[in-house]
Amino acid sequence: MSQIRLDKFISERTEYTRSQIKELAGQGKITADGGVCRKTDVKIDSETADVCVCGERIRNDIFRYILMNKPEGYVSSTDDSDGISVLELVPPQMKAKGLFPAGRLDKDSVGALLVTNDGGLAHRILSPKNHIPKIYIVKLAESFKSKYVDLFWRGIVLGDGEQCLPARVKSIGNCENMAFVELHEGKYHQVKRMFAAVGNHVEKLMRISVGGLVLPEKLGLGDCMELLHKDVENLFQPLDFDRFCDNFFSDFSAIPINK
């Protein structure tokens, strides 16, 4: 049994402030285990209590794990000084205190982005020692060249002299200017800079997987889905790059960025 004050329980799991919670309690709009609570300092069991605010049940778990299909024009940041934050796309029923994007996608890039308030998980994902692989689809300005495969695998040297880790790249069927890319690191604008280093230009970029977590086709641009525990664990189960690429279009009916 884990005892916690009612106001702390609610504030940790919602965007309500302590003062708002106290006001709502005074109005009789908060219940715990079926009874109206007009005082917010009462202790409840955080694991089993059935708490409702304004008729909406408050979940017992603190952490949220949200997979977003990020659209263009949003910044992967909690600060909207550079544009509209991706957090604006999180539906009200999924919101919780402390949400942030665990990783980044450029403002003009789209695809899989994890949003969470679990700092421990984010650290595991972003830690360089873990090298969580990410797979992208890119649309290039010029045709894909077979020499890219070896150049990427040897480790691209970027325009500023920075060395990249070995990466995988694979052409897409009959689409001469489309490719899959797998990275194990996340340098600034890395995919774009890697192709620039070999004399090409990325026109569009979509991230389709993080670790073993694959962006579902049914998740539209700007949409979010909450992940189950087993889905979160998939982050640490890398995909077989070649097999994934070969089977991708049997699972996805169209090339998402071939427009």
Side-chain angles (χ1 to χ4, degrees):
M1 181 178 292
S2 179
Q3 294 290 306
I4 186 174
R5 280 176 54 127
L6 178 63
D7 53 0
K8 186 170 190 274
F9 175 91
I10 297 172
S11 68
E12 286 181 340
R13 292 159 176 79
T14 69
E15 295 188 300
Y16 290 114
T17 64
R18 294 288 183 99
S19 60
Q20 289 172 329
I21 294 167
K22 186 174 182 179
E23 183 178 348
L24 290 169
Q27 297 170 357
K29 294 183 178 180
I30 297 179
T31 63
D33 296 326
V36 174
C37 294
R38 294 187 179 274
K39 293 186 176 181
T40 59
D41 58 354
V42 297
K43 295 288 185 73
I44 61 171
D45 185 337
S46 63
E47 297 177 359
T48 64
D50 184 357
V51 177
C52 294
V53 177
C54 299
E56 295 289 330
R57 189 180 187 281
I58 307 302
R59 293 164 36 164
N60 296 81
D61 53 313
I62 295 178
F63 294 132
R64 300 285 190 275
Y65 306 100
I66 299 165
L67 179 62
M68 175 185 294
N69 188 352
K70 177 195 169 299
E72 292 185 44
Y74 290 81
V75 294
S76 302
S77 169
T78 56
D79 182 1
D80 59 6
S81 60
D82 293 326
I84 306 172
S85 168
V86 292
L87 297 182
E88 296 295 324
L89 297 170
V90 178
Q93 67 272 19
M94 295 185 191
K95 286 186 180 292
K97 198 156 288 174
L99 286 176
F100 61 92
R104 301 184 67 84
L105 267 178
D106 300 338
K107 188 174 181 179
D108 60 351
S109 298
V110 303
L113 181 68
L114 182 68
V115 176
T116 185
N117 57 354
D118 186 344
L121 177 77
H123 177 74
R124 287 177 66 195
I125 296 170
L126 301 174
S127 173
K129 69 178 183 180
N130 289 328
H131 296 307
I132 300 295
K134 303 174 185 69
I135 300 177
Y136 304 80
I137 290 179
V138 296
K139 182 177 181 181
L140 301 169
E142 299 179 15
S143 299
F144 181 90
K145 295 179 176 57
S146 59
K147 68 178 182 180
Y148 295 166
V149 175
D150 184 55
L151 291 172
F152 273 58
W153 184 243
R154 283 190 293 171
I156 293 288
V157 177
L158 302 176
D160 61 359
E162 190 173 10
Q163 175 79 48
C164 295
L165 291 175
R168 305 284 300 276
V169 64
K170 187 181 182 76
S171 61
I172 296 181
N174 296 321
C175 303
E176 62 179 22
N177 66 333
M178 306 269 307
F180 293 102
V181 181
E182 181 187 57
L183 301 185
H184 290 261
E185 57 184 338
K187 301 182 189 297
Y188 179 71
H189 287 179
Q190 184 171 349
V191 176
K192 296 175 182 177
R193 293 164 69 201
M194 290 171 78
F195 276 104
V198 296
N200 212 323
H201 172 72
V202 173
E203 293 186 336
K204 293 186 180 181
L205 180 149
M206 180 177 196
R207 185 157 65 201
I208 52 177
S209 77
V210 179
L213 184 62
V214 179
L215 183 71
E217 182 184 17
K218 65 181 181 181
L219 193 66
L221 280 173
D223 291 344
C224 299
M225 64 179 287
E226 201 155 357
L227 300 174
L228 302 174
H229 180 72
K230 64 181 180 64
D231 298 320
V232 175
E233 288 303 311
N234 281 341
L235 287 164
F236 305 98
Q237 303 295 325
L239 299 169
D240 181 308
F241 178 69
D242 287 321
R243 181 180 298 175
F244 174 77
C245 295
D246 290 344
N247 294 333
F248 183 79
F249 293 110
S250 65
D251 299 322
F252 282 70
S253 59
I255 299 175
I257 58 173
N258 191 22
K259 295 180 181 179

